[in-house]
Amino acid sequence: DFCLSRGLGDVYKRQGDSSVPVIRDLNFSLPAGRILGLVGESGAGKSMIGRAIAQLFPPGFAVSHGELLFDGQDLVRMPADTRRDLLGSEIAFVPQEPLSALNPVLTIGQQIDEHLRRLQIDDRRARRERALAMLDAVHLNHGAELLTKYPHQLSGGMCQRVLIAMAFASRPKLLVADEPTTALDVTIQARIVELIAEMQQNARTSVVFITHDLRLAAQICDDILVLYAGRPAEYGPARRVFSDPAHPYTRCLQLANPTISGPRRGLYALPERMPGLSALRNIDGCLFAPRCPRKADDCTRAPPPFIAVEKGHLAACIYSATTIEIAAPPAAPHEDTDAGTPLLTVEGLSKTFVTHRGLFAKGAFAAVKNVAFALHENEFVGIVGESGSGKSTVARMLCGIETPSAGKVMIAGRDVSDGSAASRAHQRAHVQMVFQDPQSALNPRRRVASIVTQALEAAGEGTHAERLARAEALLSEIGLPPEAATRFPAQLSGGQRQRVNIARALCATPRILIADEIVSGLDASVQAQLLNLLLRLRRQRGFAMLFISHDLSVVRCLCDRVLVMYRGEVVESGPTNAVFAAPSHPYTRTLLAAVPPDDPTTVWALRAAEVASA
């Protein structure tokens, strides 16, 4: 009773007169009613499998051989009109970016109505009743009001639930969910995962769940396919793959994730990055060998066979028996903080935004209310909370982008709350901010060297040659090669762009660094590299940092103290380990309960009991 089976032979990209295999030797099966997790770093080929199912390849990509059977029909060679009828009805998709997937000029009701018309529900009243039932099924209240809203009037989590409702409207046989929880708050992520599992069980839908979050995959998936550079690295039941990984790549990804409980450990950061298409031609042996901690001479001679480690559990590694011996590095030593006069003091900080209708004030919204805390030299303090809790507004006031409505901000002994030119100059001299999205934070028309030394250039300091030397020194400090100085941001990976973002902030030698969700949505390996980089720079430079994140495990790994914000207020604060081990506020307990466990054994036991009772 298979929904999706057999396999793709090769997917290739044509380059000139030759072709480069993007996906090779891929075989898997997905029985009806089960969830298959596709995990791996960016560029591993996860989303390309989703594109293969829909046959929506970028220009130059095609399937060279093999087949992809959906209920016995080959999706690769199926006529386009037949495949078009399947997509959206028997095969549904939930994309990564909900706001990009929804039409910004149509209301939610118009978009759902259009989808239901495509499903041949002709009666207008029946479509409206079905739309309301769909919104209720995904636990969205006030459905009639939501139908009149535009996508920008809803939160990211609400938009994602709308897309899930549309995906399950036809009770599809197959759902492809491509990173559906990336960059969402931990509580919303938990609701989305529970919702997909609930809808999947009700409709007995098969799900291809694409994610780079191994803990999330362990929580929801029945089977796991680990991909590396377009090749299967490991495949088998989720319980076996995560409790006893047979491929070094799977083990390294596990060790790259910070823990939310138990003893703190160091993060295993894979060196370099996954080979690109041009590099694939020059690797004769195992593609993972250049980054593998267990590499031996035999690994570079021929590609490893994809063989069974045990029944139903396969791995492409000739030394799979030693994989479990790969260990995480020791935790970074605790850094002493200066307990004297605080470097930053915040007292009664508040920010109220006035909303307008046309030229007239409509009302006021209190984004931050009476926030108070202190930041000492060489101290890392985390701020956690859901979207809309006021975290980023606090950060913007501290670096001078917003002016407080009330309260006091003292930086290095000076009150900068008035927003005057002198106060802003003092803030710029002591505080630098690293923004969440490096893609939009970096000027695409300037080379990296110019971006990194932008503060020096604006102040008229140094010659061009001196600024270039400064840029190369900073790039070396953050782990980028000197030649990166002459590149444009588009020529760098997401993790490299974020490093450039950090280098630009460090160029002005700040005493306080404010990092706003800087590892959100990054691969576990890239995230580990950046977190290790921040810990190393802290030891070398001795700056303090305010680290804003919705990922509580990252905050636990990095920060000495934590502030928990809810609806603009700090509801709990204290040493990170103490707060996370014994939270006193109900909201903190809710956040911690939503984090997938480090050891999913309990989750698997509960799921097995649910299946047995059903």
Side-chain angles (χ1 to χ4, degrees):
D1 189 12
F2 285 97
C3 175
L4 194 65
S5 61
R6 299 295 291 276
L8 289 172
D10 286 354
V11 176
Y12 68 90
K13 180 184 181 184
R14 185 163 296 283
Q15 291 185 341
D17 297 330
S18 61
S19 61
V20 180
V22 179
I23 294 178
R24 173 175 288 179
D25 303 327
L26 180 63
N27 287 276
F28 64 89
S29 60
L30 178 57
R34 289 179 70 84
I35 301 179
L36 171 68
L38 301 182
V39 301
E41 298 168 282
S42 296
K46 307 185 301 294
S47 296
M48 195 60 67
I49 295 177
R51 287 177 174 270
I53 292 171
Q55 285 296 290
L56 294 175
F57 288 118
F61 288 78
V63 178
S64 60
H65 68 279
E67 54 189 3
L68 191 59
L69 299 181
F70 172 74
D71 271 0
Q73 305 175 75
D74 188 1
L75 292 171
V76 175
R77 293 163 186 83
M78 181 182 293
D81 55 347
T82 304
R83 187 187 310 109
R84 196 179 304 116
D85 291 338
L86 289 176
L87 300 179
S89 55
E90 295 192 28
I91 301 176
F93 291 82
V94 176
Q96 178 174 352
E97 294 288 346
L99 287 176
S100 301
L102 293 171
N103 191 327
V105 300
L106 296 179
T107 66
I108 298 299
Q110 289 172 322
Q111 296 184 63
I112 294 178
D113 187 77
E114 180 181 340
H115 180 61
L116 293 178
R117 281 205 311 271
R118 187 173 179 270
L119 297 178
Q120 300 180 349
I121 301 177
D122 298 325
D123 184 71
R124 184 175 181 180
R125 180 175 295 178
R127 290 198 302 270
R128 178 176 173 79
E129 291 176 355
R130 181 71 175 277
L132 293 172
M134 289 163 53
L135 295 179
D136 183 65
V138 295
H139 310 299
L140 283 173
N141 300 323
H142 312 294
E145 181 182 349
L146 282 178
L147 292 178
T148 66
K149 301 287 187 182
Y150 289 89
H152 72 272
Q153 295 176 299
L154 307 182
S155 68
M158 293 174 73
C159 288
Q160 195 66 285
R161 281 193 264 181
V162 169
L163 289 173
I164 292 172
M166 294 172 67
F168 280 99
S170 61
R171 298 182 68 86
K173 294 182 179 179
L174 174 65
L175 173 72
V176 180
D178 189 358
E179 300 276 12
T181 61
T182 296
L184 292 178
D185 297 329
V186 62
T187 51
I188 303 218
Q189 173 181 282
R191 291 179 202 139
I192 295 297
V193 169
E194 289 174 2
L195 183 58
I196 290 177
E198 176 188 333
M199 302 287 283
Q200 176 261 342
Q201 291 171 8
N202 292 340
R204 203 167 179 265
T205 299
S206 301
V207 178
V208 175
F209 192 84
I210 300 171
T211 183
H212 63 260
D213 190 332
L214 269 68
R215 288 189 304 191
L216 192 61
Q219 184 181 20
I220 191 174
C221 299
D222 301 299
D223 304 293
I224 296 294
L225 174 60
V226 182
L227 291 170
Y228 185 82
R231 276 63 165 177
E234 189 164 358
Y235 175 55
R239 183 185 298 240
R240 297 301 306 161
V241 170
F242 290 127
S243 62
D244 189 16
H247 198 283
Y249 181 55
T250 311
R251 177 65 173 165
C252 290
L253 288 180
Q254 280 186 315
L255 297 177
N257 281 289
T259 59
I260 191 61
S261 59
R264 293 173 65 175
R265 56 170 172 78
L267 304 180
Y268 189 96
L270 283 165
E272 304 301 328
R273 56 176 176 166
M274 191 177 300
L277 291 179
S278 58
L280 292 178
R281 298 176 175 176
N282 304 320
I283 301 177
D284 296 326
C286 174
L287 296 179
F288 184 61
R291 306 171 74 191
C292 182
R294 281 285 183 266
K295 180 180 69 173
D297 291 340
D298 292 342
C299 300
T300 60
R301 296 192 180 110
F306 197 55
I307 57 176
V309 179
E310 59 182 355
K311 185 177 180 180
H313 185 187
L314 299 91
C317 181
I318 57 177
Y319 296 109
S320 58
T322 63
T323 292
I324 200 64
E325 298 174 7
I326 301 173
H334 179 73
E335 295 290 323
D336 293 329
T337 59
D338 186 352
T341 303
L343 182 60
L344 167 70
T345 303
V346 175
E347 298 175 0
L349 191 66
S350 300
K351 180 64 179 179
T352 300
F353 292 98
V354 178
T355 58
H356 292 80
R357 176 174 291 172
L359 298 176
F360 303 98
K362 181 183 176 183
F365 169 68
V368 175
K369 311 171 195 173
N370 199 32
V371 168
F373 64 91
L375 180 67
H376 294 82
E377 293 274 5
N378 208 35
E379 185 180 32
F380 280 13
V381 173
I383 303 182
V384 301
E386 296 173 291
S387 295
S389 61
K391 307 186 301 294
S392 295
T393 303
V394 169
R396 292 167 70 86
M397 286 190 284
L398 296 182
C399 65
I401 298 176
E402 297 283 357
T403 302
S405 302
K408 181 186 292 186
V409 177
M410 299 284 293
I411 298 177
R414 176 177 179 141
D415 187 353
V416 296
S417 311
D418 58 3
S420 64
S423 295
R424 292 184 187 277
H426 185 77
Q427 284 173 299
R428 286 194 298 270
H430 291 82
V431 181
Q432 288 292 317
M433 188 163 182
V434 183
F435 294 93
Q436 176 176 357
D437 182 13
Q439 182 78 18
S440 58
L442 303 180
N443 190 330
R445 297 186 177 184
R446 303 188 72 166
R447 297 186 187 274
V448 167
S450 176
I451 292 172
V452 168
T453 58
Q454 196 169 351
L456 300 180
E457 185 180 343
E461 298 180 13
T463 64
H464 175 74
E466 290 172 340
R467 291 197 298 268
L468 179 61
R470 173 67 170 157
E472 290 179 347
L474 282 167
L475 294 176
S476 175
E477 190 175 0
I478 63 168
L480 288 180
E483 57 267 23
T486 60
R487 296 177 184 171
F488 291 98
Q491 296 174 297
L492 305 178
S493 69
Q496 289 175 323
R497 284 194 291 266
Q498 197 60 282
R499 287 173 182 247
V500 171
N501 217 2
I502 294 172
R504 177 175 61 179
L506 294 176
C507 182
T509 318
R511 298 178 69 185
I512 301 172
L513 200 64
I514 299 177
D516 189 3
E517 298 278 12
I518 63 170
V519 296
S520 174
L522 294 179
D523 294 329
S525 57
V526 178
Q527 175 181 274
Q529 291 172 5
L530 286 175
L531 296 180
N532 288 342
L533 170 65
L534 289 171
L535 291 170
R536 176 172 60 81
L537 291 174
R538 178 193 195 182
R539 293 193 298 271
Q540 295 172 351
R541 286 178 168 254
F543 58 85
M545 183 170 68
L546 201 63
F547 187 82
I548 298 169
S549 179
H550 65 258
D551 191 329
L552 275 65
S553 59
V554 169
V555 170
R556 181 176 184 263
C557 168
L558 199 62
C559 299
D560 308 297
R561 290 191 298 117
V562 63
L563 310 175
V564 182
M565 291 193 68
Y566 178 66
R567 294 187 177 180
E569 299 180 89
V570 175
V571 296
E572 186 167 359
S573 64
T576 306
N577 279 340
V579 171
F580 285 4
S584 59
H585 196 277
Y587 179 66
T588 312
R589 291 196 289 270
T590 299
L591 289 178
L592 289 166
V595 179
D598 298 317
D599 181 6
T601 305
T602 304
V603 176
W604 292 333
L606 291 173
R607 287 176 57 193
E610 291 173 359
V611 171
S613 63

